[in-house]
Amino acid sequence: MDDKWCDYLPDGLRTRIMNSLAEDAVHLQVHHDVNPIERVTVLVAEVDGVPEFSEVDPEFDTGGGGGGGGGGGAGGPVMMEWRNFVTAKICGMENRIHDLQSNQGGHHGELVKRLDKIERNVRRMSAMPARRVGASTGGGVGGANETEAVRPANLSKCPKNLFVLWAEFESGVGGNKPARLFTASERGKVKFMYCRRKIVWDAIDNLVKRGLSSDVAIDRIYNECGGPNTKVNDVIAQLKQFRRTGNDVLHMYLGA
């Protein structure tokens, strides 16, 4: 440490600095007269009432230590300091621009995720069948039951996706009675289709009982069975395989 700077430091701080430098010199195996600290040019400026220390990139620091004959009069050091200050500000701006670009990239990624989620929800809603809402034909307590009684107990021939299949079970599609309300004789009339589709209804119902909505449950089944474009028959075949082997994601182990 230069003697001219020692007077600016308190005795205790100067002693700690000298002791630390001595320890570093031992670890670095350098002579005690060699300063292991690299000198860099730092310019101080005030920004919004707060001091700002800007380190000048060594690539642009051409004014340090020269001071010789090429100084060029009294204006030379002042112009050199000003150039160094401007260079340091440019370096700081580059760092801020890099930070802004990084933040913008993160926001863009988050926006893409949200838009993708919205798109999936819209596709799922478009695949769901429309639910018929009509006024009850009978007054009093027995009106709803009478309305259900006149609806035919039929199953759709070819449901296009699991949303339609679940709506067929829960509320009925095409003006038909909900499959969950079929009597034993009505189930017997469509025994083959009912038994084939029951595995899907049981899987969805099992997930709903565990706290999921029916839409989320259907999405989980699709994820385990090849995606949302998988045909209903292929999903049924996959669930039959899970009946034998089990599936932890669907909480499904139905046994043979």
Side-chain angles (χ1 to χ4, degrees), residues 50 57 68 84-85 105 130 156 200 243 250:
V50 178
D57 195 317
N84 291 339
F85 174 75
S156 58
V200 179
R243 173 187 287 174
L250 301 181

Side-chain angles (χ1 to χ4, degrees), residues 7-239:
D7 297 335
Y8 292 95
L9 298 176
D11 294 338
L13 178 60
R14 181 170 65 249
T15 302
R16 290 200 302 271
I17 292 175
M18 297 302 295
N19 292 337
S20 298
L21 290 176
E23 293 177 0
D24 293 338
V26 173
H27 292 301
L28 298 175
Q29 296 181 355
V30 297
H31 194 269
H32 66 276
D33 292 334
V34 177
N35 188 357
I37 306 301
E38 179 183 1
R39 290 188 177 184
V40 295
T41 303
V42 178
L43 298 178
V44 183
E46 181 181 349
V47 179
D48 296 332
V50 178
E52 182 179 282
F53 298 87
S54 302
E55 180 179 339
V56 179
D57 195 317
E59 179 182 357
F60 302 100
D61 184 15
T62 58
V78 176
M79 292 302 298
M80 182 65 67
E81 181 177 357
W82 173 249
R83 190 185 70 175
N84 291 339
F85 174 75
V86 172
T87 302
K89 298 299 290 184
I90 292 175
C91 295
M93 292 175 62
E94 289 179 349
N95 293 334
R96 292 189 180 94
I97 291 174
H98 181 269
D99 294 339
L100 289 174
Q101 290 175 342
S102 300
N103 293 334
Q104 183 180 9
H107 293 321
H108 176 72
E110 183 65 24
L111 179 61
V112 169
K113 289 181 180 179
R114 294 185 179 183
L115 291 177
D116 183 61
K117 183 177 181 179
I118 294 174
E119 183 180 358
R120 290 199 307 269
N121 290 336
V122 171
R123 272 203 308 264
R124 184 174 61 190
M125 292 173 63
S126 64
M128 295 173 62
R131 182 172 297 180
R132 177 178 297 179
V133 179
S136 177
T137 57
V141 178
N145 294 333
E146 292 175 3
T147 303
E148 294 291 348
V150 298
R151 297 172 68 180
N154 295 326
L155 296 178
S156 58
K157 292 184 178 180
C158 186
K160 63 179 182 179
N161 54 49
L162 298 186
F163 295 102
V164 176
L165 196 62
W166 179 249
E168 181 179 59
F169 178 78
E170 276 289 297
S171 58
V173 294
N176 293 320
K177 183 178 180 179
R180 62 184 175 84
L181 300 179
F182 282 11
T183 62
S185 61
E186 290 171 342
R187 290 194 297 268
K189 293 178 181 179
V190 288
K191 181 177 180 180
F192 176 78
M193 287 193 297
Y194 190 95
C195 292
R196 181 172 174 80
R197 299 174 186 183
K198 188 176 184 298
I199 189 172
V200 179
W201 296 333
D202 288 343
I204 298 174
D205 186 62
N206 187 27
L207 293 175
V208 170
K209 289 179 180 178
R210 291 177 178 269
L212 300 180
S213 67
S214 60
D215 293 341
V216 175
I218 291 173
D219 286 340
R220 284 200 181 181
I221 293 176
Y222 269 134
N223 290 337
E224 294 299 308
C225 298
N229 295 324
T230 307
K231 296 180 180 179
V232 173
N233 288 336
D234 295 336
V235 172
I236 292 175
Q238 188 65 53
L239 291 180

